[in-house]
């Protein structure tokens, strides 16, 4: 099976922070893949910008290395590599000074019919200054701006940043990336819910017992420890990725996939989240920090060693029992957890249905387990629906719990595109559906801020957990107190 490729309109993409980690690991490989598939029009052009003095050729050599490092050699054998590199050029410019900007303006201006896109793959404190200079040099007029999280570190700073950007770019040209929304399975969640008549009638507190959202990583913070220590798992993962997943599970069906129709529904979910503060924080949240342990069969250091510090109260693990206080979800807990250096890399959403109301079977036929829908984001993207069936064979009825199991890799013989491939081209298409609107980001902070504050007030250090495990035992207690268990690996 091959995917359908619809080329986008011609664009000029300017990447600020073009020699940085995000550009190297994600943006350049993603753009190349789209080009390889024929989705990038012939005269589209990509301008790299950073402070370093580089020639066009030196930037192309940097990009060639990025491709070699992140794309299988078999995909780099054709003439497409040179064709892609020929699209690239480079301008040295500083966000805080005027040098280089006239040249950038001239290069972008050379393609007046193109859609100008500015991707700010830089440190967040540069978002404001870059936008201001884009305005000053007349580049913002038709331009679209793309920013990455972290969008602030709390509500106040997020509002200030959004205002700063909003002075130059109207909201309908601001694209706030949450790369989880570009993941195939996340979009499949919408397909599953809204392109099937099967689930929606059951998608409420009459039939759903609880929901679990796990985003577990096996890696530690490694060379990102400096940034991470100022953020922690709540700001790094929960405020954005996990809350976005929760929104897609919990939102009402939008009238269409129109960007605002979807984002209006997500916003309502964020606003309906039950507040967590000093009163209930201890009962419904757990924060942890990993100690040395083992991962993938080898010894790994603890967080403090990676940070190179003897003390830090930053959490590398969070578990939260969240509740959406509305008619559909009243009484249905959403158990959320995420962490670094956990037992394996797995991200999944488990929708646990209620038990059957009455068993017609004898007790000795086996336990009737509840149905579960497991949406696996990574690795091995797919969907499993756990059902009870009769164990095959003669000798009467015995019941067993088995999954209807669809692994996307097995069902569709296509490469699973990286989230950035989809999202960058959505910017060119002018489709904001998979991007966070300003009020969503702010509503998410509004829920997160009091949790962070309650943690600060409690002055308790994060609970230690051994690297390579599923987090502190308190996280297990958090769900087991309610008579439920965390489910791992598609179980
Ligand atoms: C990023 C976080 O947004 O998402 C990282 O800042 C995290 O800390 C990453 O590792 C996880 O993304 P993925 O796509 O690898 O699950």
């Amino acid at each position: 099976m091959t995917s359908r490729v619809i080329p986008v309109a011609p664009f000029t993409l300017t990447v600020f922070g073009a020699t940085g980690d995000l550009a190297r690991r994600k943006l350049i490989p993603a753009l190349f893949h789209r080009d390889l598939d024929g989705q990038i029009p012939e005269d589209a052009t990509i301008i790299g910008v950073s402070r370093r003095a580089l020639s066009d050729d030196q930037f192309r050599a940097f990009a060639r290395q990025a491709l070699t490092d992140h794309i299988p050699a078999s995909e780099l054998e054709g003439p497409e590599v040179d064709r892609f590199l020929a699209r690239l050029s480079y301008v040295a410019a500083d966000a805080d000074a005027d040098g280089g900007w006239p040249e950038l303006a001239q290069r972008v201006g050379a393609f007046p019919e193109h859609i100008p896109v500015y991707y700010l793959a830089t440190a967040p404190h540069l978002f404001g200054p870059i936008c201001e200079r884009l305005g000053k040099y007349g580049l913002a007029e038709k331009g679209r701006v793309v920013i990455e999280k972290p969008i602030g570190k709390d509500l106040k700073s997020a509002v200030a940043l959004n205002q700063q950007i909003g002075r130059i770019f109207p909201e309908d040209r601001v694209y706030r990336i949450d790369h989880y929304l570009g993941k195939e399975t996340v979009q499949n969640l919408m397909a599953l819910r809204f392109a099937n008549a099967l689930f929606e009638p059951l998608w409420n507190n009459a039939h759903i017992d609880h929901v679990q959202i796990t985003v577990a990583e096996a890696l530690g913070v490694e060379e990102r420890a400096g940034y991470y220590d100022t953020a922690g798992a709540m700001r790094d993962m929960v405020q954005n990725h996990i809350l976005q997943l929760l929104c897609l599970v919990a939102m009402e069906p939008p009238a269409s996939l129109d960007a605002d129709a979807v984002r209006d529904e997500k916003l309502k979910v964020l606003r309906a989240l039950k507040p967590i503060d000093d009163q209930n924080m201890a009962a419904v949240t757990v924060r942890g920090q990993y100690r040395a342990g083992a991962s993938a069969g080898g010894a790994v250091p603890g967080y403090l060693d990676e940070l190179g510090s003897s003390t830090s109260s930053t959490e590398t693990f969070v578990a939260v029992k969240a509740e959406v206080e509305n008619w559909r979800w009243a009484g249905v807990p959403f158990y959320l957890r995420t962490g670094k250096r956990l037992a394996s890399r797995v991200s999944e959403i488990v929708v646990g249905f209620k038990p059957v109301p009455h068993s017609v079977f004898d007790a000795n036929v086996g336990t009737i387990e509840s149905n579960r829908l497991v949406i696996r984001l990574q690795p091995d993207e797919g969907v499993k629906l756990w059902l009870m069936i009769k164990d095959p064979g003669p000798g009467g009825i015995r019941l067993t719990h088995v999954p209807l199991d669809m692994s996307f890799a097995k069902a569709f013989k296509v490469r699973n595109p990286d989230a950035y491939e989809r999202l960058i081209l959505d910017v060119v298409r002018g489709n904001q559906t998979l991007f966070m609107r300003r009020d969503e980001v702010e509503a998410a902070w509004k829920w997160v801020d009091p949790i962070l504050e309650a943690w600060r007030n409690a002055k308790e250090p994060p609970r230690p957990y051994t690297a390579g495990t599923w987090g502190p035992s308190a996280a297990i207690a958090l769900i087991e107190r309610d008579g439920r268990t965390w489910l791992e690996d598609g179980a």
Side-chain angles (χ1 to χ4, degrees):
M1 207 175 292
T2 53
S3 55
R4 277 173 298 143
V5 168
I6 304 167
V8 295
F11 61 86
T12 297
L13 168 65
T14 306
V15 179
F16 291 89
T19 55
D21 202 47
L22 180 67
R24 196 168 50 81
R25 283 189 308 113
K26 294 289 184 184
L27 306 183
I28 292 170
L31 287 160
F32 173 72
H33 266 133
R34 291 298 85 222
D35 200 11
L36 193 61
D37 278 357
Q39 212 160 15
I40 299 203
E42 212 174 297
D43 61 345
T45 146
I46 299 161
I47 306 170
V49 179
S50 84
R51 275 185 310 195
R52 277 162 65 177
L54 292 181
S55 66
D56 288 347
D57 280 343
Q58 283 171 319
F59 181 56
R60 290 187 189 118
F62 168 85
R64 187 185 289 278
Q65 190 60 46
L67 297 180
T68 311
D69 292 344
H70 296 98
I71 291 186
S74 58
E75 292 178 36
L76 298 176
E77 285 161 359
E80 295 87 356
V81 174
D82 286 335
R83 183 187 71 192
F84 174 73
L85 294 175
R87 297 179 183 283
L88 307 187
S89 64
Y90 183 82
V91 176
D94 192 335
D96 291 320
D98 287 311
W101 285 87
E103 190 188 342
L104 179 63
Q106 193 204 335
R107 291 218 195 165
V108 175
F111 301 97
E113 72 293 357
H114 281 193
I115 296 168
V117 177
Y118 305 102
Y119 199 121
L120 312 193
T122 63
H125 71 274
L126 298 176
F127 294 169
I130 292 175
C131 286
E132 268 157 34
R133 283 212 155 60
L134 286 170
K136 177 172 168 188
Y137 285 90
L139 293 166
E141 236 160 71
K142 294 192 299 160
R144 298 170 188 172
V145 68
V146 186
I147 57 172
E148 283 273 341
K149 66 165 247 286
I151 298 168
K153 61 177 180 49
D154 53 19
L155 177 60
K156 191 165 163 241
S157 51
V159 168
L161 183 59
N162 281 330
Q163 272 169 354
Q164 210 174 8
I165 294 167
R167 277 200 286 276
I168 309 292
F169 291 95
E171 183 62 27
D172 65 356
R173 290 196 271 117
V174 180
Y175 291 75
R176 295 180 192 81
I177 282 210
D178 183 311
H179 78 280
Y180 266 61
L181 295 183
K183 288 187 191 276
E184 278 291 298
T185 324
V186 175
Q187 294 170 61
N188 241 308
L189 184 56
M190 290 211 260
L192 210 64
R193 283 193 63 191
F194 306 129
N196 296 287
L198 194 61
F199 297 112
E200 206 47 34
L202 305 179
W203 213 257
N204 55 51
N205 56 6
H207 302 284
I208 291 180
D209 174 71
H210 76 286
V211 176
Q212 300 184 14
I213 301 178
T214 296
V215 178
E217 297 184 87
L219 292 178
V221 292
E222 294 155 349
E223 73 280 3
R224 289 174 77 231
Y227 148 74
Y228 193 88
D229 201 54
T230 65
M234 181 58 101
R235 291 189 175 95
D236 188 50
M237 298 296 287
V238 178
Q239 190 272 345
N240 35 78
H241 307 323
I242 292 205
L243 286 185
Q244 287 292 321
L245 296 181
L246 184 152
C247 285
L248 293 177
V249 174
M251 71 183 183
E252 295 299 312
S256 71
L257 279 195
D258 170 73
D260 280 331
V262 172
R263 298 186 300 176
D264 286 347
E265 296 308 335
K266 288 198 294 170
L267 181 64
K268 286 183 206 160
V269 174
L270 292 168
R271 289 185 173 158
L273 283 170
K274 179 175 176 175
I276 298 176
D277 54 21
D278 298 297
Q279 304 305 315
N280 55 350
M281 172 278 284
V284 297
T285 72
V286 173
R287 57 199 296 267
Q289 190 187 80
Y290 60 87
R291 299 284 180 264
S295 178
V300 291
Y303 176 71
L304 294 179
D305 290 331
E306 281 185 330
L307 182 64
S309 164
S310 59
T311 161
S312 163
S313 63
T314 297
E315 77 286 353
T316 61
F317 175 95
V318 178
V320 180
K321 178 183 172 183
E323 286 176 69
V324 180
E325 294 188 307
N326 64 16
W327 194 287
R328 185 188 283 262
W329 294 114
V332 180
F334 284 71
Y335 298 99
L336 317 175
R337 69 177 167 164
T338 183
K340 303 270 181 200
R341 281 277 186 244
L342 296 183
S344 61
R345 176 176 186 250
V346 51
S347 297
E348 59 189 18
I349 300 169
V350 181
V351 179
F353 290 90
K354 292 204 162 156
V356 291
H358 165 73
S359 172
V360 300
F361 301 96
D362 292 339
N364 62 4
V365 303
T367 317
I368 304 185
E369 303 234 14
S370 300
N371 299 131
R372 282 201 290 275
L373 178 67
V374 181
I375 299 147
R376 164 83 81 130
L377 274 61
Q378 58 196 22
D380 188 21
E381 293 82 350
V383 176
K384 277 186 193 171
L385 180 62
W386 286 83
L387 303 170
M388 293 304 297
I389 62 153
K390 177 192 165 297
D391 222 356
I397 286 197
R398 265 185 313 277
L399 298 174
T400 183
H401 201 211
V402 289
L404 282 181
D405 186 355
M406 191 179 72
S407 149
F408 295 158
K410 285 187 204 133
F412 305 95
K413 308 247 174 292
V414 291
R415 183 184 65 84
N416 196 0
D418 186 78
Y420 283 90
E421 295 181 39
R422 161 84 194 236
L423 294 174
I424 298 173
L425 293 200
D426 271 1
V427 180
V428 179
R429 292 186 194 100
N431 182 354
Q432 290 183 307
T433 305
L434 297 177
F435 296 83
M436 292 179 296
R437 205 168 55 190
R438 173 180 178 161
D439 47 8
E440 275 183 84
V441 174
E442 293 176 4
W445 279 122
K446 222 173 184 162
W447 184 71
V448 163
D449 271 2
I451 305 178
L452 293 170
E453 199 189 322
W455 285 346
R456 270 194 306 274
N457 293 343
K459 294 192 177 67
E460 275 169 25
R463 292 165 193 270
Y465 62 97
T466 305
T469 65
W470 283 106
S473 54
I476 296 167
L478 174 81
I479 189 166
E480 297 206 335
R481 268 203 301 275
D482 295 345
R484 303 179 177 105
T485 40
W486 291 110
L487 295 160
E488 275 121 28
D489 288 334

